[in-house]
Amino acid sequence: AALAITGANAADLTPVPEPLPPASPIFFVHVGALGVFKEINATSTGGGFFNYLPIAGGLIENVVSRPDYTLGLEAGYFITPNIAIALSAGVPPVAHLKATGLNLTPLLGTNLLGSVRYGPAMLLAQYHFTNFGAFQPYVGVGAAYVLNFGNISDGILTNLAIDQNFGFVMQAGADYMLTQNWGVYVDVKKIIYSTNLNGDLLNLNIPIRANVALDPWAAGAGITFKY
């Protein structure tokens, strides 16, 4: 009996191995609502007599566009537990461009220059902080390429088009993990972007050319999945 008790006590003293920590995720996906808030600064590049037309300032130098809302998508691959490469995009929204300073609006009946469908695609290098538990902030930098899917409707400008071009993007956001794989996120991006706007004034075949700095903010929130 003494030997049996001694054996049981020895078994009780055997150290139990601690469970291994969960493996670091390999990839992640963000899906959610996205708002694009543009800061437009346009200057005419038409040259010649157009720069002296009385409508030039109001037509080109006071261009505004209301915020656009769409579905945002981002997918990333973890090179290390902290460093990821991500591709960010969204369902292409429609931008309505208006000339707020145009003094011929009552005569023309509108200040709408035209509408275009566009979509930025962004490639980002990110650093994810993993030492705050469920709260996992991240920052990123990368390049953006803004695609122009075509003129949706004419306004004061016919055949309105915005050239496709590259830009620079900075990003900050955070995931809050509700489970090991599922959570929610918030994300803000600043895109430094300029391009050329082209169109014809009404049906007069007078070409309008302008350099446009958009520099939009893109803010999103939604669901994150990591695996």
Side-chain angles (χ1 to χ4, degrees):
L3 291 175
I5 293 172
T6 303
N9 291 339
D12 292 340
L13 296 176
T14 302
V16 178
E18 295 183 1
L20 295 175
S24 299
I26 300 174
F27 68 87
F28 72 90
V29 176
H30 288 159
V31 180
L34 179 67
V36 181
F37 307 88
K38 299 174 285 292
E39 300 176 354
I40 301 178
N41 182 13
T43 55
S44 172
T45 57
F49 73 93
F50 179 75
N51 289 336
Y52 299 96
L53 289 177
I55 65 171
L59 186 64
I60 295 300
E61 296 176 3
N62 295 281
V63 179
V64 298
S65 179
R66 297 183 65 180
D68 303 320
Y69 300 98
T70 186
L71 177 68
L73 306 169
E74 184 171 274
Y77 175 78
F78 284 98
I79 301 173
T80 73
N82 300 102
I83 299 175
I85 299 296
L87 180 63
S88 183
V91 177
V94 176
H96 304 285
L97 303 177
K98 296 184 177 182
T100 58
L102 183 62
N103 54 14
L104 296 180
T105 298
L107 178 63
L108 298 174
T110 182
N111 64 354
L112 177 67
L113 298 177
S115 303
V116 295
R117 186 178 295 277
Y118 70 98
M122 293 166 276
L123 183 63
L124 298 148
Q126 300 174 333
Y127 187 87
H128 291 249
F129 299 88
T130 57
N131 54 331
F132 301 108
F135 178 66
Q136 299 174 7
Y138 58 87
V139 293
V141 295
Y145 188 72
V146 180
L147 301 167
N148 177 17
F149 294 94
N151 184 11
I152 300 302
S153 64
D154 290 330
I156 299 170
L157 299 182
T158 58
N159 302 315
L160 176 65
I162 297 178
D163 293 346
Q164 300 180 159
N165 200 6
F166 284 97
F168 176 73
V169 56
M170 298 175 288
Q171 177 188 39
D175 296 316
Y176 188 84
M177 304 307 297
L178 304 175
T179 70
Q180 181 180 342
N181 300 109
W182 292 95
V184 294
Y185 78 91
V186 293
D187 183 276
V188 177
K189 299 181 181 72
K190 177 63 174 179
I191 304 172
I192 308 300
Y193 177 75
S194 64
T195 186
N196 294 317
L197 179 148
N198 306 282
D200 297 321
L201 180 60
L202 300 173
N203 294 316
L204 304 177
N205 293 323
I206 299 176
I208 304 298
R209 303 290 182 265
N211 181 263
V212 182
L214 297 173
D215 298 342
W217 289 90
I223 298 173
T224 183
F225 174 74
K226 294 184 178 182
Y227 182 76

